[in-house]
Amino acid sequence: MKLWNIISDFLHENSNPPLDSEFFNKVHGEISSMYGRYSRQLGEFAKLEGLKAQEKRRIKEEKARKRELRGYQGKIAKTIAFLWRHTFARLGEDWVFLALLGVIMALVSFTMDRGVAMCNNARLWLYRDLTQNPVTQYLAWVSLPVFLVLFSAGFVQLVAPQAIGSGIPEMKTILRGVALKEYLTFRTLVAKTVGLTAILGSGMPLGKEGPFVHIASISATLLSKLVTGFQGIYENESRTTEMLAAACAAGVASCFAAPVGGVLFSIEVTTTYFAVRNYWRGFFSAVCGATIFRLLAVWFQKADTVTAVFKTNFFMDFPFDPQELFVFALIGAFSGLGGAFYVWVHRQYVIFMRNSKTLNNFFKTNRFLYPGIVSLGVATLSFPLGTGQFFAGDLNNHDQVSTLFSNFTWTADDLTTAEESVLSHWKSPYTGVLVNLVCHILFNFVTSIVCSTVPVPSGIFIPVFKIGACFGRIIGELMHMWFPTGMRYGGKIAKIIPGGYATVGAAAFSGAVTHTISVSVIVFEMTGQITHIIPMMIAVLISNAIASLLAPSIYDSIILIKKLPYLPDLLPSSSGIYDIYVEDFMVRDIKYIFYGMTYDNLKSVLKENRKLQSFPLVDKPESMVLLGSIRRMHLIQLIEKNIGREKRLQEVAIRRKVAEDKAREEELKRAEERRRRPSRFQVVPALDVLQRQMSENELDKPICNPVYGSQPRKSILKKTNSLKGISPFSTSPNATPYTTVTGAENRIRIAFDAIFRKSSQLQDVDVGSSQLLRTKSLERKPQIIPISPTSLKKVQLPKERVCDMSPEDQKAWEEEQMAQPVQFHCHIDPAPFQLVERTSLLKVHSLFSMVGVNHAYVTAIGKLVGVVGLKELRKAIEDANAGNFPESSLERNGNVKETDGSGKEPDVNTKLMVGDSQV
C-alpha cells in the first residue's frame, strides 16, 4: 500500500489535466494482481533457494569428507615413500628396474614357448589323428605352417615393418649411437612378439635368440620411459644406453636360462667397447630373467625342479681321453670353414635376390607370394611320409636338439626300447643314421638361409646350432665305430660319448657363424654339465680364428647388406692397416662457416648441404683456424631470428614510432602557423543547411567523411559545398541556419566534437554498420567512420592490434637483413672432436667405436684441413680389409724415412685433441 500511495501522489501532482478515479482504480487493480503474482513467485523462489542451500551444504560436507580422506591417503603415500627411501632406494632404483625387466622377459619367453608348443602339438594332431589318407595328411601337414607364416608376414607388415629380421644388427647400430626410427616402439614390440610366435609355431628352421634381444631392448626402452615420469635419472641418454646393454643380456638369458652366457653373448655381439660399470646390471637382470623362466616351468609345466633346458647325463669321472683333443680341434677347424661358408652363401643369396629384376617383379605382384612359396616348400620337404623321414622332419627344434645331445651311441647294437624310439626318428627303411644326419645338415643349411630372407621376425642361432650338433654327432658316431671299446690312455679306457661331440660341434659352428666365444658358456648352462669345457673352448677358439680370417659374422654381414651406419672390424691379416693415416681418406672439401659471412651466404650453405647436422666455425677463409662447431638447428634459428616475424614486427613498431613523431612535429608546426585570435563574428553553418546544399549541388560528387576537426573552421563569408569538418551526428531541430559561436554554445559544441571524434576513431566494428577508410599518411592506421548513428551493434575493441609490413616492404627488408653479417649469438661447441693428419686408421677406428662419435675434424696446428665421418671411415676399413691401400700410403712405405739430421726420425704428433686436453 505504501507503494500505491507514492504512485498515486506522484500522478496527481504531475498530471495535466488531472486523472479521474476510474483510471486510479484500474491502475490499482493491475498493481494488486502484479503484487499477487509476485508474492506467489517469491514463495516458489524461496523454496528453490532453500533446496539450493541444502544441496550446497551437502556438497560442502562431501568435499570435507573427501579432504579428510585425501589427507589420510596422503599419510599412507608419505609412509610408503618413507619406507621406499630407507629400504630399496638405498640399494638404488636400478635394482628394481633391472629385476622388473628380467621378470617381464621371463614371462614373455615362457608365454611364447607355450604358444609355440600348442602350435606344434596342433600340427602333429592334424597329421596323425585327423586322417590316415597320405594326401589328406600332406594337406594337414602343410596347411598350418603356411597359414602361420602368411599371418606373421601380414601382421608384421601391417603393424610395424621394423620387426622384420633378427634385430641384433639394428641393436648393434643403436648401441653405437645411431638412432633408428621406430625400432624401439610399442608397435614394434607387439609385431615382433606375435610374429615370432607364429613363425616358431610353424616349424620353420628359424630361431628366437636374435629377436629376443630386440624384444628385451624394446621392453627396456618402454619401461625406462615409464619410470622417467617418476625418476629423472632415466632421462639421461647414457643411462638409457646402459639399460639397453642390460636388456640384451636379459633377452638371451630368458631364451635358454643361461644368465652367464647371455651376458657374455650380449657383450660380444652388441658392443665393440663395453663399459665395466654395466657388467653387474647385465648379470642381475639376466639372473632374474633366467630364474623366473625356469620357475615358471616348475609351476605350470609340473617340472621336478629347476633344471637345464637340454639336460644331459655325460660321464663325470672320465668324460674324454686327452688324445681326443686333437679330434675336437679338427671339429673346430671344419666348423670355422663351414661357418665362413655359411655366411658367404647367405650374403650371396640375399644379394642375388635383391639384384634379380625378374624375381623382384614377380614377387612384387603380391607381398604374400614369396612367404607362401617358401613356407610351402619347407613344409613339403619336411613331410614325414616324404623327404622328412630322412632328417627327423616330424620333430620340433627342441626335440631335435635334445636327441642330438643324447648320451647313448646310435650305432650300437644293444639298444633299449627307449633308445630305439629316439633312434626311429633318425633313420629310415632306406637310410641309416649317418645319412640322415648329413641330410639334416643340408636341409637346415639351405632352408635356414632361404627362410631368413622372408619378411618375418626370425633368428639364425638355432639352425646353425643344430647344424653344428649334427656335424659333431657324425664325428662322435664315427669315433665310436673306429674305437668301439673306447680309447686307452694310462691304463684306463675312456668310452666315446657321441653326445659330447655333438655339444662341441654345436658350440664350434654357432661360434664361427656369430664370431662369439660365449656360445661355449651358453652350451654349458643349456646342458647343465661342464665336463667338456676344455675341448669345447679349444674348438670354439679355433673355429673363431678361422672364421674371422675368412668372413665377417652373420650380424656384420647383415649390417653390410642393409648398409647400416656401423663400423666393421679391422682384419688383422695384414700390417698395412698401421700405415694408413687419416689424411689418406679424409674429405678435404670442407663445408664451413666463418665470422663475417652474411646471412644469405649462411642460408646457401645450409641449403646446399642438407645432410650435414653440424658445421665447423673458422675465423676466416684465409687462415681456417678452427674455433668450434655449430649444429644445423642453431644456425637455422639464427636466420629465423634475423628475419622472423618477431624481428619484423619490432622493425614495424620502430618505423611507426618514427612516423608518428614526424607527423606530430609537422602538426605542431602547422598549429603554430595558424594560431591567431578567433573573430567574434565567426559563425558555423548549421547541419540542415549544409545537408540541403549537398543534396542540391553535390549529388554527382563523391562524399568524403574524414575525421572531424581535420580541417580549419570556415568563415561565414565563404561558401561551402561540402561537409568537411562537420559531423553527421550533430542534428538539432531548433538550430538556426547561422549560429554565433559564443561561450556556452562553443563549450557544448566542443564537448560533442570530443564525443564524435572519439567515436570516429573506434576500430574493429562490424562491416555492415561502418566504413573503413585508409589514409595515406605516414601512420597508415585504419580509421572507421560510423554511418548510422542508430546502430544497435556493440563496438568491440581488439585485445591486440598487430601491424605488419606489406609484401613489397617485407621483401625489401628481408633482402636488407640477409645482406648483414651473421652474429653468432648461439650455442657454439668450443671443443669439437679433432684428429691430426697422422692419426693411424687403427686409432681412428678405436676412437670412433669407443667414444661413439659420428665425425671428427682434422686439424694441423689449429688449422682445419679436413673432416672424416662414418662413411669415409667405413670405406677405408673395407678397402684395408680387402687389401686396397691408398696410393699415398704405398708411396710412404716405398720411400726412405726422413731424419732430422741427428739420425732420429722426426717426432710425429699423433695425439688426439679432445677439447683443450690431449689423450
Side-chain angles (χ1 to χ4, degrees), residues 87-102:
T87 53
F88 294 103
R90 291 185 179 274
L91 299 176
E93 292 83 357
D94 287 354
W95 294 93
V96 180
F97 179 89
L98 296 171
L100 187 59
L101 177 62

Side-chain angles (χ1 to χ4, degrees), residues 512-524:
V513 173
T514 58
H515 286 196
T516 56
I517 310 295
S518 58
V519 179
S520 57
V521 183
I522 293 177
V523 174
F524 300 156

Side-chain angles (χ1 to χ4, degrees), residues 706-757:
V707 180
Y708 184 86
S710 60
Q711 297 292 337
R713 299 186 185 90
K714 295 196 175 197
S715 174
I716 192 173
L717 300 177
K718 295 182 181 180
K719 293 183 179 181
T720 176
N721 295 325
S722 64
L723 296 178
K724 293 182 180 179
I726 305 300
S727 173
F729 289 76
S730 300
T731 58
S732 176
N734 299 324
T736 59
Y738 294 101
T739 305
T740 305
V741 181
T742 58
E745 294 179 352
N746 190 24
R747 287 194 297 271
I748 296 174
R749 187 188 58 78
I750 291 175
F752 275 96
D753 288 349
I755 296 174
F756 295 144
R757 187 182 300 112

Side-chain angles (χ1 to χ4, degrees), residues 285-317:
S285 182
V287 168
C288 292
T291 305
I292 297 299
F293 178 70
R294 297 311 298 161
L295 287 176
L296 290 173
V298 175
W299 295 335
F300 295 99
Q301 292 182 341
K302 298 181 180 180
D304 296 335
T305 183
V306 177
T307 57
V309 178
F310 304 107
K311 189 177 180 180
T312 58
N313 297 308
F314 301 149
F315 300 119
M316 298 294 295
D317 296 335

Side-chain angles (χ1 to χ4, degrees), residues 779-908:
E779 296 180 0
R780 295 179 180 175
K781 292 195 297 183
Q783 295 181 350
I784 302 171
I785 305 299
I787 294 177
S788 175
T790 61
S791 176
L792 300 177
K793 295 186 178 181
K794 296 182 180 180
V795 178
Q796 295 182 356
L797 295 176
K799 296 181 180 180
E800 179 182 1
R801 297 183 177 89
V802 178
C803 297
D804 207 340
M805 295 182 180
S806 63
E808 296 79 9
D809 294 343
Q810 180 178 346
K811 184 177 180 182
W813 176 76
E814 288 182 356
E815 292 178 353
E816 179 183 354
Q817 291 295 114
M818 293 296 288
Q820 296 179 0
V822 181
Q823 302 295 329
F824 293 101
H825 299 306
C826 62
H827 177 72
I828 302 176
D829 184 7
F833 198 82
Q834 301 177 38
L835 301 171
V836 294
E837 294 177 290
R838 298 302 293 270
T839 305
S840 64
L841 175 62
L842 184 62
K843 287 185 177 180
V844 176
H845 177 271
S846 301
L847 292 169
F848 268 63
S849 301
M850 181 171 57
V851 181
V853 296
N854 296 324
H855 67 279
Y857 301 115
V858 184
T859 57
I861 320 178
K863 180 180 179 181
L864 182 64
V865 295
V867 63
V868 58
L870 285 175
K871 181 180 179 181
E872 292 77 25
L873 181 56
R874 190 184 308 113
K875 181 66 168 55
I877 293 172
E878 292 176 355
D879 293 341
N881 291 338
N884 302 325
F885 300 104
E887 296 181 0
S888 55
S889 175
L890 297 176
E891 292 176 358
R892 283 195 304 267
N893 295 334
N895 295 336
V896 181
K897 295 181 179 180
E898 299 177 357
T899 60
D900 57 0
S902 60
K904 298 181 180 180
E905 298 180 5
D907 185 16
V908 180

Side-chain angles (χ1 to χ4, degrees), residues 157-169:
Q157 188 67 33
L158 182 65
V159 178
Q162 293 80 8
I164 295 174
S166 171
I168 289 182

Side-chain angles (χ1 to χ4, degrees), residues 60-234:
K60 187 176 181 180
E61 292 174 357
E62 185 177 355
K63 287 183 178 181
R65 286 194 300 269
K66 288 184 177 180
R67 265 197 309 271
E68 294 177 0
L69 182 61
R70 281 198 298 268
Y72 182 65
Q73 292 175 345
K75 293 179 181 179
I76 295 178
K78 291 179 181 178
T79 304
I80 295 175
F82 177 81
L83 295 176
W84 168 261
R85 285 195 304 268
H86 292 82
T87 53
F88 294 103
R90 291 185 179 274
L91 299 176
E93 292 83 357
D94 287 354
W95 294 93
V96 180
F97 179 89
L98 296 171
L100 187 59
L101 177 62
V103 172
I104 291 175
M105 292 312 303
L107 292 173
V108 173
S109 180
F110 182 78
T111 306
M112 186 178 295
D113 287 346
R114 292 297 298 270
V116 171
M118 291 175 59
C119 293
N120 292 331
N121 295 333
R123 188 185 185 189
L124 291 176
W125 176 79
L126 290 173
Y127 164 70
R128 292 175 180 173
D129 302 334
L130 189 61
T131 180
Q132 297 297 326
N133 189 355
V135 178
T136 3
Q137 284 182 324
Y138 169 75
L139 295 177
W141 179 262
V142 301
S143 59
L144 184 61
V146 173
F147 170 76
L148 290 175
V149 171
L150 293 180
F151 167 76
S152 177
F155 185 81
V156 170
Q157 188 67 33
L158 182 65
V159 178
Q162 293 80 8
I164 295 174
S166 171
I168 289 182
E170 288 78 13
M171 286 310 305
K172 293 183 70 171
T173 306
I174 291 173
L175 290 175
R176 169 63 182 74
V178 180
L180 297 181
K181 186 179 180 180
E182 301 292 334
Y183 265 91
L184 298 176
T185 59
F186 181 74
R187 293 169 60 91
T188 309
L189 175 64
V190 174
K192 198 86 172 182
T193 305
V194 177
L196 183 61
T197 305
I199 282 296
L200 296 179
S202 66
M204 295 293 105
L206 296 170
K208 73 169 187 176
E209 186 171 20
F212 242 74
V213 171
H214 192 188
I215 291 174
S217 302
I218 300 174
S219 302
T221 303
L222 297 178
L223 193 60
S224 178
K225 290 182 178 180
L226 178 64
V227 177
T228 302
F230 306 97
Q231 301 292 339
I233 57 174
Y234 292 96

